[in-house]
Amino acid sequence: GSLALVMLEIEHLTNIRHAYGHQVASMVLADFARRLKGCATAKNPVAHLGGDEFAILVEVVPDATYVPRLVDGIQKNLERCFTWGQSQVLLSASIGATYFEGGMESVGALIERTDAAVNIAFLNGTHQYISAPAGKRPAPAATSRARSPAMAC
């Protein structure tokens, strides 16, 4: 069997922190974490890596469509407004996923490949997802697109 590591970086959290303050950014971060946990199953632990980064470990990948469906669910969940008081904002995330099927790859190498996928997704523009098969590095971004600010609902 194989496992997958999905890592996410919330886009625009710094902009929210600067515009609305640390308390609001913390509330948005907590709401994001709840939504992310709602997308994963009990068998797929969710971890807050710090700052604006999260990870989901898919311990058993049942079929080739499982991780893309999980990512699609996360992206759809982000399309709902984050609300606090009278204010609302839409978030997006750069998402990377890599697969591990045993062999000689270390956990560190798996994390490095997944982080590279997140960085490529970030360079590709807002709300992007990049994956890489077991043992392969994700393909570099062809071009970088301008980043858009967090959008009001």
Side-chain angles (χ1 to χ4, degrees):
S2 65
L3 66 83
L5 180 61
V6 179
M7 291 173 62
L8 306 92
E9 183 175 320
I10 302 171
E11 300 169 350
H12 316 302
L13 191 62
T14 301
N15 296 345
I16 292 168
R17 186 172 291 118
H18 289 147
Y20 300 103
H22 288 280
Q23 183 177 5
V24 168
S26 292
M27 290 186 318
V28 169
L29 191 62
D31 189 17
F32 178 85
R34 278 190 296 278
R35 290 184 190 193
L36 193 56
K37 286 181 182 177
C39 293
T41 67
K43 292 182 180 181
N44 299 331
V46 175
H48 180 209
L49 302 177
D52 57 2
E53 296 181 319
F54 288 82
I56 301 172
L57 179 62
V58 181
E59 295 184 48
V60 177
V61 179
D63 60 60
T65 66
Y66 184 82
V67 172
R69 285 190 329 243
L70 173 65
V71 169
D72 185 56
I74 293 166
Q75 289 176 325
K76 285 182 177 160
N77 208 313
L78 289 175
E79 291 170 2
R80 294 188 355 248
C81 289
F82 288 81
T83 304
W84 64 94
Q86 299 297 321
S87 299
Q88 295 181 321
V89 70
L90 284 174
L91 290 183
S92 57
S94 298
I95 304 173
T98 55
Y99 299 84
F100 177 78
E101 294 179 359
M104 300 302 291
E105 184 175 36
S106 69
V107 171
L110 178 67
I111 292 169
E112 182 181 303
R113 285 192 309 111
T114 310
D115 191 49
V118 171
N119 291 331
I120 293 167
F122 182 84
L123 291 173
N124 281 343
T126 300
H127 211 54
Q128 296 294 309
Y129 161 60
I130 299 292
S131 70
K136 304 287 185 190
R137 291 195 61 81
T143 59
S144 62
R145 296 190 313 184
R147 311 297 302 163
S148 61
M151 298 176 55
C153 297

